[in-house]
PDB file of all heavy atoms in Angstrom:
ATOM      1  N   TYR A 972     -12.801   6.307 -12.493  1.00 98.00           N
ATOM      2  CA  TYR A 972     -12.091   6.655 -13.715  1.00 98.00           C
ATOM      3  C   TYR A 972     -12.299   5.567 -14.761  1.00 98.00           C
ATOM      4  O   TYR A 972     -12.405   4.386 -14.430  1.00 98.00           O
ATOM      5  CB  TYR A 972     -10.592   6.838 -13.450  1.00 98.00           C
ATOM      6  CG  TYR A 972     -10.314   7.821 -12.331  1.00 98.00           C
ATOM      7  CD1 TYR A 972     -10.268   7.395 -11.022  1.00 98.00           C
ATOM      8  CD2 TYR A 972     -10.149   9.177 -12.597  1.00 98.00           C
ATOM      9  CE1 TYR A 972     -10.059   8.284  -9.983  1.00 98.00           C
ATOM     10  CE2 TYR A 972      -9.931  10.078 -11.560  1.00 98.00           C
ATOM     11  CZ  TYR A 972      -9.900   9.621 -10.271  1.00 98.00           C
ATOM     12  OH  TYR A 972      -9.701  10.517  -9.238  1.00 98.00           O
ATOM     13  N   GLN A 974     -10.589   4.059 -18.371  1.00 98.00           N
ATOM     14  CA  GLN A 974      -9.363   4.080 -19.167  1.00 98.00           C
ATOM     15  C   GLN A 974      -9.442   3.094 -20.314  1.00 98.00           C
ATOM     16  O   GLN A 974      -9.699   1.907 -20.098  1.00 98.00           O
ATOM     17  CB  GLN A 974      -8.137   3.760 -18.299  1.00 98.00           C
ATOM     18  CG  GLN A 974      -6.821   3.897 -19.057  1.00 98.00           C
ATOM     19  CD  GLN A 974      -5.609   3.584 -18.199  1.00 98.00           C
ATOM     20  OE1 GLN A 974      -5.660   2.738 -17.319  1.00 98.00           O
ATOM     21  NE2 GLN A 974      -4.507   4.272 -18.471  1.00 98.00           N
ATOM     22  N   ALA A 979      -4.759   7.880 -21.534  1.00 97.00           N
ATOM     23  CA  ALA A 979      -4.818   8.327 -20.144  1.00 97.00           C
ATOM     24  C   ALA A 979      -6.214   8.083 -19.573  1.00 97.00           C
ATOM     25  O   ALA A 979      -7.216   8.093 -20.298  1.00 97.00           O
ATOM     26  CB  ALA A 979      -4.480   9.808 -20.061  1.00 97.00           C
ATOM     27  N   PRO A 980      -6.301   7.870 -18.270  1.00 97.00           N
ATOM     28  CA  PRO A 980      -7.622   7.736 -17.640  1.00 97.00           C
ATOM     29  C   PRO A 980      -8.429   9.021 -17.787  1.00 97.00           C
ATOM     30  O   PRO A 980      -7.886  10.095 -18.044  1.00 97.00           O
ATOM     31  CB  PRO A 980      -7.288   7.465 -16.167  1.00 97.00           C
ATOM     32  CG  PRO A 980      -5.882   6.957 -16.181  1.00 97.00           C
ATOM     33  CD  PRO A 980      -5.218   7.683 -17.310  1.00 97.00           C
ATOM     34  N   LEU A 982     -11.786  11.081 -15.780  1.00 97.00           N
ATOM     35  CA  LEU A 982     -12.658  11.138 -14.614  1.00 97.00           C
ATOM     36  C   LEU A 982     -14.101  10.898 -15.034  1.00 97.00           C
ATOM     37  O   LEU A 982     -14.629  11.600 -15.901  1.00 97.00           O
ATOM     38  CB  LEU A 982     -12.529  12.509 -13.933  1.00 97.00           C
ATOM     39  CG  LEU A 982     -13.357  12.732 -12.671  1.00 97.00           C
ATOM     40  CD1 LEU A 982     -12.915  11.792 -11.547  1.00 97.00           C
ATOM     41  CD2 LEU A 982     -13.246  14.189 -12.219  1.00 97.00           C
ATOM     42  N   TYR A1023     -11.510   2.260 -12.627  1.00 98.00           N
ATOM     43  CA  TYR A1023     -10.800   2.328 -11.360  1.00 98.00           C
ATOM     44  C   TYR A1023     -11.562   3.210 -10.374  1.00 98.00           C
ATOM     45  O   TYR A1023     -12.083   4.262 -10.752  1.00 98.00           O
ATOM     46  CB  TYR A1023      -9.408   2.942 -11.538  1.00 98.00           C
ATOM     47  CG  TYR A1023      -8.460   2.129 -12.375  1.00 98.00           C
ATOM     48  CD1 TYR A1023      -8.405   2.302 -13.758  1.00 98.00           C
ATOM     49  CD2 TYR A1023      -7.597   1.201 -11.794  1.00 98.00           C
ATOM     50  CE1 TYR A1023      -7.518   1.556 -14.540  1.00 98.00           C
ATOM     51  CE2 TYR A1023      -6.712   0.460 -12.562  1.00 98.00           C
ATOM     52  CZ  TYR A1023      -6.684   0.641 -13.923  1.00 98.00           C
ATOM     53  OH  TYR A1023      -5.803  -0.097 -14.684  1.00 98.00           O
ATOM     54  N   SER A1032      -2.428   8.904   4.546  1.00 94.00           N
ATOM     55  CA  SER A1032      -2.205  10.289   4.078  1.00 94.00           C
ATOM     56  C   SER A1032      -1.856  10.303   2.606  1.00 94.00           C
ATOM     57  O   SER A1032      -0.840  10.902   2.183  1.00 94.00           O
ATOM     58  CB  SER A1032      -1.092  10.972   4.890  1.00 94.00           C
ATOM     59  OG  SER A1032      -1.503  11.183   6.218  1.00 94.00           O
ATOM     60  N   TRP A1034      -3.699   9.235  -1.624  1.00 97.00           N
ATOM     61  CA  TRP A1034      -4.780   8.671  -2.432  1.00 97.00           C
ATOM     62  C   TRP A1034      -4.502   7.189  -2.677  1.00 97.00           C
ATOM     63  O   TRP A1034      -3.364   6.793  -2.901  1.00 97.00           O
ATOM     64  CB  TRP A1034      -4.865   9.402  -3.768  1.00 97.00           C
ATOM     65  CG  TRP A1034      -5.477  10.759  -3.655  1.00 97.00           C
ATOM     66  CD1 TRP A1034      -4.847  11.934  -3.379  1.00 97.00           C
ATOM     67  CD2 TRP A1034      -6.861  11.086  -3.813  1.00 97.00           C
ATOM     68  NE1 TRP A1034      -5.745  12.971  -3.361  1.00 97.00           N
ATOM     69  CE2 TRP A1034      -7.001  12.473  -3.618  1.00 97.00           C
ATOM     70  CE3 TRP A1034      -8.003  10.334  -4.110  1.00 97.00           C
ATOM     71  CZ2 TRP A1034      -8.234  13.128  -3.711  1.00 97.00           C
ATOM     72  CZ3 TRP A1034      -9.230  10.987  -4.201  1.00 97.00           C
ATOM     73  CH2 TRP A1034      -9.336  12.370  -3.993  1.00 97.00           C
TER      74      TRP A1034
ATOM     75  N   GLN B 643       1.574   4.441 -13.686  1.00 98.00           N
ATOM     76  CA  GLN B 643       0.980   3.163 -14.067  1.00 98.00           C
ATOM     77  C   GLN B 643       2.072   2.280 -14.654  1.00 98.00           C
ATOM     78  O   GLN B 643       2.574   2.556 -15.743  1.00 98.00           O
ATOM     79  CB  GLN B 643      -0.152   3.380 -15.073  1.00 98.00           C
ATOM     80  CG  GLN B 643      -0.931   2.131 -15.422  1.00 98.00           C
ATOM     81  CD  GLN B 643      -2.180   2.427 -16.221  1.00 98.00           C
ATOM     82  OE1 GLN B 643      -2.213   3.355 -17.038  1.00 98.00           O
ATOM     83  NE2 GLN B 643      -3.237   1.666 -15.989  1.00 98.00           N
ATOM     84  N   TRP B 651      -1.129   6.462  -7.132  1.00 98.00           N
ATOM     85  CA  TRP B 651      -0.860   7.855  -6.826  1.00 98.00           C
ATOM     86  C   TRP B 651       0.550   8.003  -6.283  1.00 98.00           C
ATOM     87  O   TRP B 651       0.985   7.202  -5.445  1.00 98.00           O
ATOM     88  CB  TRP B 651      -1.890   8.341  -5.802  1.00 98.00           C
ATOM     89  CG  TRP B 651      -1.653   9.718  -5.289  1.00 98.00           C
ATOM     90  CD1 TRP B 651      -2.005  10.899  -5.871  1.00 98.00           C
ATOM     91  CD2 TRP B 651      -1.017  10.065  -4.055  1.00 98.00           C
ATOM     92  NE1 TRP B 651      -1.621  11.953  -5.083  1.00 98.00           N
ATOM     93  CE2 TRP B 651      -1.011  11.471  -3.956  1.00 98.00           C
ATOM     94  CE3 TRP B 651      -0.440   9.327  -3.012  1.00 98.00           C
ATOM     95  CZ2 TRP B 651      -0.459  12.153  -2.880  1.00 98.00           C
ATOM     96  CZ3 TRP B 651       0.102   9.996  -1.934  1.00 98.00           C
ATOM     97  CH2 TRP B 651       0.093  11.405  -1.870  1.00 98.00           C
ATOM     98  N   HIS B 654       1.268  14.776  -4.388  1.00 97.00           N
ATOM     99  CA  HIS B 654       0.517  15.969  -4.751  1.00 97.00           C
ATOM    100  C   HIS B 654       1.123  17.196  -4.099  1.00 97.00           C
ATOM    101  O   HIS B 654       1.896  17.091  -3.136  1.00 97.00           O
ATOM    102  CB  HIS B 654      -0.982  15.824  -4.461  1.00 97.00           C
ATOM    103  CG  HIS B 654      -1.376  15.941  -3.012  1.00 97.00           C
ATOM    104  ND1 HIS B 654      -2.461  15.296  -2.501  1.00 97.00           N
ATOM    105  CD2 HIS B 654      -0.856  16.639  -1.974  1.00 97.00           C
ATOM    106  CE1 HIS B 654      -2.592  15.578  -1.217  1.00 97.00           C
ATOM    107  NE2 HIS B 654      -1.626  16.396  -0.877  1.00 97.00           N
ATOM    108  N   ILE B 663       2.794  16.092  -0.425  1.00 96.00           N
ATOM    109  CA  ILE B 663       2.766  14.755   0.169  1.00 96.00           C
ATOM    110  C   ILE B 663       3.188  13.747  -0.879  1.00 96.00           C
ATOM    111  O   ILE B 663       2.819  13.862  -2.047  1.00 96.00           O
ATOM    112  CB  ILE B 663       1.353  14.408   0.711  1.00 96.00           C
ATOM    113  CG1 ILE B 663       0.949  15.394   1.817  1.00 96.00           C
ATOM    114  CG2 ILE B 663       1.325  12.989   1.257  1.00 96.00           C
ATOM    115  CD1 ILE B 663      -0.414  15.118   2.407  1.00 96.00           C
ATOM    116  N   LEU B 706      -9.447  15.073  -7.938  1.00 90.00           N
ATOM    117  CA  LEU B 706      -8.312  14.343  -8.516  1.00 90.00           C
ATOM    118  C   LEU B 706      -8.717  13.757  -9.854  1.00 90.00           C
ATOM    119  O   LEU B 706      -9.694  13.043  -9.960  1.00 90.00           O
ATOM    120  CB  LEU B 706      -7.871  13.218  -7.579  1.00 90.00           C
ATOM    121  CG  LEU B 706      -6.848  12.233  -8.160  1.00 90.00           C
ATOM    122  CD1 LEU B 706      -5.517  12.925  -8.424  1.00 90.00           C
ATOM    123  CD2 LEU B 706      -6.647  11.046  -7.219  1.00 90.00           C
ATOM    124  N   GLY B 707      -7.938  14.095 -10.899  1.00 89.00           N
ATOM    125  CA  GLY B 707      -8.227  13.530 -12.201  1.00 89.00           C
ATOM    126  C   GLY B 707      -9.120  14.370 -13.067  1.00 89.00           C
ATOM    127  O   GLY B 707      -9.605  13.905 -14.099  1.00 89.00           O
ATOM    128  N   TRP B 710      -5.938  14.994 -17.214  1.00 97.00           N
ATOM    129  CA  TRP B 710      -4.739  14.162 -17.239  1.00 97.00           C
ATOM    130  C   TRP B 710      -3.881  14.530 -18.447  1.00 97.00           C
ATOM    131  O   TRP B 710      -4.407  14.849 -19.518  1.00 97.00           O
ATOM    132  CB  TRP B 710      -5.117  12.681 -17.367  1.00 97.00           C
ATOM    133  CG  TRP B 710      -5.909  12.118 -16.229  1.00 97.00           C
ATOM    134  CD1 TRP B 710      -7.192  12.435 -15.887  1.00 97.00           C
ATOM    135  CD2 TRP B 710      -5.486  11.128 -15.290  1.00 97.00           C
ATOM    136  NE1 TRP B 710      -7.589  11.700 -14.788  1.00 97.00           N
ATOM    137  CE2 TRP B 710      -6.565  10.886 -14.401  1.00 97.00           C
ATOM    138  CE3 TRP B 710      -4.293  10.408 -15.097  1.00 97.00           C
ATOM    139  CZ2 TRP B 710      -6.492   9.975 -13.349  1.00 97.00           C
ATOM    140  CZ3 TRP B 710      -4.220   9.489 -14.055  1.00 97.00           C
ATOM    141  CH2 TRP B 710      -5.311   9.283 -13.195  1.00 97.00           C
ATOM    142  N   GLY B 711      -2.560  14.420 -18.267  1.00 97.00           N
ATOM    143  CA  GLY B 711      -1.674  14.538 -19.413  1.00 97.00           C
ATOM    144  C   GLY B 711      -1.641  13.217 -20.170  1.00 97.00           C
ATOM    145  O   GLY B 711      -2.315  12.254 -19.778  1.00 97.00           O
TER     146      GLY B 711
END
Side-chain angles (χ1 to χ4, degrees):
Chain A
Y972 307 88
Q974 185 180 33
L982 181 64
Y1023 295 89
S1032 292
W1034 285 88
Chain B
Q643 186 170 34
W651 174 83
H654 76 209
I663 298 180
L706 170 66
W710 297 68

